Amino acid sequence: HRMRRMHAASSETSGRGAATVHRNKKGQVIDAEQQSRDEADKVERSKHLQALHTEWNKGAVQQKQRADEERRIERVRATGKVDYGNELDEERRAKQHWNDPALKFLEDKPKKTARVPEYKGQAPPNRFGIRPGYRWDGVDRSNGFEKDMLVSRASASARRAEDYSYSVADL
């Protein structure tokens, strides 16, 4: 019975064919088309900002070099011939080649390097022959491994020399 009444009611009363009313979280009526345009603008703005950030994150020097190279290529295309110009000449002159005989005239005399201070006193030997730093206070804080290793090497070497001298003594 209720279904007949709904079908019998006019479109205006039942809301059949009426436009959908969109509301925001507060319950206010909003224009759906305007909201979709706003969201599209927001997406477009975020894409634009992302593109700007991508551009900003690239090196300024590399961008300038790329632009210079593009301008040079455009000049070549426009004139039909390669213009080496002063830039390339200067670049080639600035390069130093290992077999350039005139290079010794351009080289400055060796600069005096600052001497690093060295430790002056006695230091225990180590297997690498490294001297202690100039701030070392002279206290041997090792566990004795280096000393034992050097002693065992020396005794082994002395034993080999003694064995050899004993083996050739009869000759």
Side-chain angles (χ1 to χ4, degrees):
H1 189 270
R2 189 185 322 170
M3 291 297 280
R4 282 189 204 143
R5 272 192 294 159
M6 267 180 47
H7 286 298
S10 67
S11 295
E12 189 176 310
T13 317
S14 68
R16 196 177 310 131
T20 306
V21 176
H22 295 277
R23 298 184 182 272
N24 63 7
K25 291 180 182 179
K26 296 179 182 176
Q28 300 167 336
V29 176
I30 57 171
D31 184 12
E33 293 175 12
Q34 180 63 34
Q35 185 178 10
S36 65
R37 283 193 300 264
D38 289 346
E39 288 177 4
D41 287 346
K42 188 184 284 186
V43 168
E44 187 66 33
R45 246 184 278 121
S46 82
K47 283 183 181 178
H48 179 67
L49 280 175
Q50 189 175 9
L52 280 177
H53 284 294
T54 303
E55 192 67 26
W56 291 338
N57 287 339
K58 294 179 182 175
V61 173
Q62 287 81 358
Q63 286 178 344
K64 184 180 180 305
Q65 288 174 345
R66 203 174 298 116
D68 291 344
E69 184 66 21
E70 288 173 4
R71 281 196 297 272
R72 191 181 69 76
I73 290 171
E74 283 301 318
R75 280 196 309 258
V76 168
R77 286 188 183 142
T79 60
K81 59 183 178 180
V82 179
D83 177 26
Y84 292 109
N86 292 336
E87 297 166 2
L88 185 62
D89 189 41
E90 291 298 322
E91 185 179 320
R92 286 184 176 169
R93 286 175 188 259
K95 282 188 181 174
Q96 293 184 354
H97 300 283
W98 66 272
N99 59 355
D100 187 0
L103 190 61
K104 63 183 174 189
F105 299 118
L106 297 176
E107 289 178 358
D108 295 333
K109 291 190 169 47
K111 296 177 183 169
K112 293 180 181 176
T113 57
R115 285 203 28 92
V116 178
E118 293 181 358
Y119 181 72
K120 301 284 190 232
Q122 289 287 338
N126 60 46
R127 61 187 145 168
F128 304 111
I130 299 173
R131 302 271 307 145
Y134 72 98
R135 290 190 175 127
W136 185 51
D137 60 357
V139 178
D140 185 9
R141 294 181 177 83
S142 70
N143 60 6
F145 174 77
E146 291 281 333
K147 182 179 177 185
D148 293 345
M149 190 187 69
L150 291 173
V151 166
S152 68
R153 274 188 188 171
S155 66
S157 175
R159 189 171 46 257
R160 276 196 301 273
E162 186 179 332
D163 291 347
Y164 177 75
S165 63
Y166 181 76
S167 69
V168 295
D170 293 339
L171 299 177

